């Protein structure tokens, strides 16, 4: 079992939390709440207002989130779900435990409040440079006062499916072929 710290749409009450509850993805158990030991920039960015933890330790705020114990199957599912390693990278960070509810832990494994714990987190080191100038948050809520509503994946696919398909002309194929030849 591995500990994973979630700070965005995977938290309880957030749009993607259901993937942690779906047993077909693997096993995940809520253990407690905490925050990063070091400050990090947590920004809401991109066309779909996705929360991103920028891998810039020492900048931003100590970020609040939830700690889950996950099995290997769930860890692999989360890697795929988070677009690891392209969009996010799974790294280890130290988390200060604020509250611990870990029922499946033995007393020796249960960290006391205000103790630290190593957890995997999905952060990104690959982002547009302008993201470092966005507002930094310490706690993400998709319905927060920031006014940046998260666009769920199911809505993105629906929106794309409703877009009329552009008909390609022979010129489009030539441009695509020429571009492919240049970029190889």
């Amino acid at each position: 079992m591995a500990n994973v710290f979630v700070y965005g749409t995977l938290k309880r009450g957030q749009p993607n939390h259901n993937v942690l509850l779906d047993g077909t993805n693997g096993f995940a158990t809520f253990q407690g709440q905490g925050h990063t030991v070091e400050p990090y920039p947590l920004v809401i960015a991109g066309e779909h207002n996705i929360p991103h933890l920028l891998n810039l330790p020492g900048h931003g705020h100590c970020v609040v989130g939830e700690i889950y114990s996950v099995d290997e199957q769930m860890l692999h599912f989360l890697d795929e779900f988070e677009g690891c390693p392209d969009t996010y990278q799974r790294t280890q960070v130290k988390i200060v435990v604020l509250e611990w509810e870990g029922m499946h832990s033995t007393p020796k494994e249960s960290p006391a409040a205000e103790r630290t714990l190593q957890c995997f987190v999905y952060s990104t080191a690959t982002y547009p440079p302008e993201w470092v100038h966005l507002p930094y948050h310490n706690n993400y809520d998709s319905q927060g006062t920031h006014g940046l509503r998260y666009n769920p994946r199911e809505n993105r696919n629906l929106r794309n499916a409703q877009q009329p398909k552009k008909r390609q002309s022979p010129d489009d194929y030539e441009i695509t072929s020429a571009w492919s030849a240049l970029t190889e």
Side-chain angles (χ1 to χ4, degrees):
M1 299 294 277
N3 288 317
V4 175
F5 178 75
V6 300
Y7 56 84
T9 64
L10 290 172
K11 293 190 312 184
R12 294 180 294 181
Q14 298 304 309
N16 291 324
H17 179 68
N18 61 327
V19 303
L20 291 174
L21 304 176
D22 186 344
T24 61
N25 299 331
F27 182 75
T29 303
F30 176 78
Q31 297 293 321
Q33 297 181 353
H35 67 75
T36 58
V37 168
E38 289 189 83
Y40 285 87
L42 173 58
V43 300
I44 302 169
E47 175 185 3
H48 303 293
N49 296 321
I50 297 171
H52 296 272
L53 189 70
L54 306 185
N55 195 352
L56 287 172
H59 302 278
H61 304 288
C62 292
V63 176
V64 175
E66 299 172 349
I67 303 161
Y68 287 84
S69 179
V70 302
D71 67 4
E72 203 61 32
Q73 181 181 343
M74 179 62 79
L75 195 58
H76 290 299
F77 170 82
L78 289 173
D79 283 350
E80 188 174 315
F81 184 81
E82 298 289 5
C84 185
D86 300 324
T87 305
Y88 291 95
Q89 296 77 46
R90 177 169 36 107
T91 58
Q92 286 201 332
V93 296
K94 280 189 179 177
I95 302 299
V96 174
V97 176
L98 299 174
E99 293 178 26
W100 189 256
E101 296 178 17
M103 294 183 185
H104 298 293
S105 300
T106 63
K108 192 164 66 172
E109 295 172 323
S110 298
E114 298 301 323
R115 301 260 325 254
T116 62
L117 182 67
Q118 284 287 121
C119 294
F120 285 120
V121 68
Y122 292 91
S123 62
T124 185
T126 54
Y127 51 85
E130 61 270 15
W131 285 10
V132 297
H133 303 294
L134 293 172
Y136 296 166
H137 304 273
N138 71 329
N139 195 356
Y140 175 80
D141 183 340
S142 62
Q143 299 295 313
T145 57
H146 49 70
L148 301 169
R149 297 296 171 255
Y150 174 75
N151 184 23
R153 292 172 185 224
E154 58 272 11
N155 292 355
R156 294 178 226 163
N157 294 336
L158 181 61
R159 194 170 87 193
N160 291 340
Q162 292 174 343
Q163 296 284 330
K165 297 231 185 233
K166 181 185 167 202
R167 211 173 188 177
Q168 288 192 325
S169 71
D171 291 339
D172 291 336
Y173 292 113
E174 289 173 21
I175 291 168
T176 302
S177 297
W179 177 253
S180 295
L182 286 172
T183 58
E184 289 179 353

